[in-house]
Amino acid sequence: MFNPQDALLASFIISTIAGALRSMTPILLTAIGENFAESSGILNLGTEGIMLIAAFTGFITTLATNSIIFGLLMAMLVGTMLGLIIAFITVTLQADQIVTGIALTMFSLGITSYMVRIIYGTGLPPRVPSMELTTIPLLASIPVGPTIFTQPFLVWVSLILIPVTYYILFKTSFGLKLRAVGEDPRSAYKMGVNVYLYRYVALIIGGVLAGLGGAYLSLFHISTFVDNITQGRGWIAIAIVMFGRWNPLWILVGGLIYGGAESLSGSIQALGVLRGVPTEFMLTLPYILTIAALGILSKRATFPAALGKPYKKETS
């Protein structure tokens, strides 16, 4: 016998899962990039700032060209440039990594807010065309498929990057050398590894992926740009990398925890289940659940030995 309550529950679960995949994407992209950076020994706290500037750049470019592809490419280019800047400051100049990252994030908050005010005044920026949805053919044909397996293509890109990143870090000589640089750069240098080069490459990869994560927010999540659009997602991405112990498979688990919490919060608000609960609390629920889960599950995380420590090339 057909039960409307069962159908409602099934719809709730399916929509929450689909929402979780969409919500975790910007964080997952950024966390994968941060995983490369931290595996090389660089703690890049500028991910939030890179996401912010890339989100603004992607939005402005898409609005000017009416092309999401150009918007994404410009966001990736900006991410690359910011990754290079961080690399120059922290690797070449050997400046404090924490101060550098926080400074970039504070600058990004200020400059994006200023540019929005200059261009649009006190009004809201216009909307841009949203990313087209991509359907996985075979999976979309199952009963729950049309909802879960029809997503923006960056969702599938972020998921594909998980096994690719795992393979690169743990099954290739590049990954072995990168992790060696993050554990003991002096020993790696003596073995013929160019420590500076590997750290530069890692930070560029991190910048590109953080740029994609930021562009996803402005080009799909809300299809416009607002102040502080990232809302701390860059910081959550850093926490997820540590929770995942620098293993892409566990980073995916962390991303799903955040995405599930955010999607669940939105679904609960839409259904009006908790009418007496303030909206502000529901908006913070994803962060509360994620931080709690990461705090419990990451107690035994072992940091790369050289993480956060500047390296000076041997002179003899």
Side-chain angles (χ1 to χ4, degrees):
M1 181 180 294
F2 175 76
N3 189 331
Q5 291 184 342
D6 290 343
L8 181 62
L9 177 61
S11 177
F12 174 81
I13 293 173
I14 293 169
S15 63
T16 300
I17 293 173
L21 293 174
R22 292 191 295 271
S23 296
M24 78 171 183
T25 297
I27 287 180
L28 193 57
L29 288 168
T30 304
I32 293 169
E34 178 68 10
N35 191 27
F36 278 97
E38 293 190 17
S39 294
S40 75
I42 300 295
L43 179 60
N44 182 12
L45 297 185
T47 52
E48 177 87 357
I50 295 174
M51 290 179 74
L52 259 176
I53 293 181
F56 178 76
T57 303
F59 166 73
I60 289 295
T61 303
T62 301
L63 198 62
T65 64
N66 200 36
S67 170
I68 288 179
I69 298 300
F70 280 122
L72 290 175
L73 289 175
M74 283 302 298
M76 292 168 66
L77 178 60
V78 165
T80 301
M81 293 172 60
L82 292 174
L84 276 171
I85 290 171
I86 293 174
F88 178 73
I89 294 172
T90 60
V91 178
T92 302
L93 300 182
Q94 300 172 27
D96 187 279
Q97 297 172 19
I98 295 176
V99 173
T100 301
I102 293 175
L104 174 61
T105 297
M106 297 301 294
F107 169 77
S108 302
L109 283 166
I111 193 66
T112 53
S113 178
Y114 175 73
M115 291 303 296
V116 169
R117 297 291 185 279
I118 288 294
I119 298 173
Y120 300 108
T122 57
L124 291 175
R127 295 178 65 84
V128 295
S130 184
M131 289 183 187
E132 293 185 5
L133 302 180
T134 303
T135 300
I136 306 298
L138 294 178
L139 295 176
S141 62
I142 64 178
V144 300
T147 301
I148 295 178
F149 297 107
T150 300
Q151 302 281 359
F153 76 93
L154 281 183
V155 173
W156 309 125
V157 169
S158 68
L159 291 174
I160 290 171
L161 282 174
I162 293 296
V164 170
T165 301
Y166 182 89
Y167 179 80
I168 291 173
L169 288 178
F170 297 104
K171 302 296 182 180
T172 67
S173 61
F174 172 83
L176 176 63
K177 292 176 182 177
L178 185 74
R179 290 185 290 116
V181 166
E183 289 293 337
D184 191 343
R186 285 177 174 79
S187 295
Y189 174 78
K190 291 176 182 178
M191 295 297 293
V193 179
N194 188 329
V195 175
Y196 285 9
L197 176 61
Y198 273 80
R199 288 187 168 181
Y200 262 80
V201 171
L203 283 166
I204 289 171
I205 293 173
V208 169
L209 293 178
L212 271 181
Y216 177 91
L217 292 172
S218 60
L219 300 183
F220 174 78
H221 195 65
I222 61 174
S223 297
T224 187
F225 185 87
V226 296
D227 282 348
N228 193 25
I229 189 175
T230 51
Q231 295 183 324
R233 288 178 174 86
W235 301 110
I236 293 292
I238 294 171
I240 285 174
V241 173
M242 296 179 180
F243 153 78
R245 303 176 188 179
W246 300 271
N247 185 319
L249 302 180
W250 281 104
I251 288 173
L252 174 60
V253 173
L256 286 169
I257 290 174
Y258 174 86
E262 184 174 280
S263 180
L264 182 62
S265 172
S267 298
I268 290 174
Q269 288 186 75
L271 291 176
V273 176
L274 302 176
R275 290 188 175 86
V277 178
T279 303
E280 292 77 9
F281 174 79
M282 296 304 298
L283 292 174
T284 61
L285 184 60
Y287 299 92
I288 294 172
L289 293 178
T290 302
I291 291 171
L294 299 184
I296 293 170
L297 298 174
S298 63
K299 287 183 178 179
R300 297 182 181 179
T302 302
F303 290 76
L307 183 63
K309 300 176 183 178
Y311 167 75
K312 186 175 182 179
K313 186 183 293 185
E314 311 291 340
T315 56
S316 59

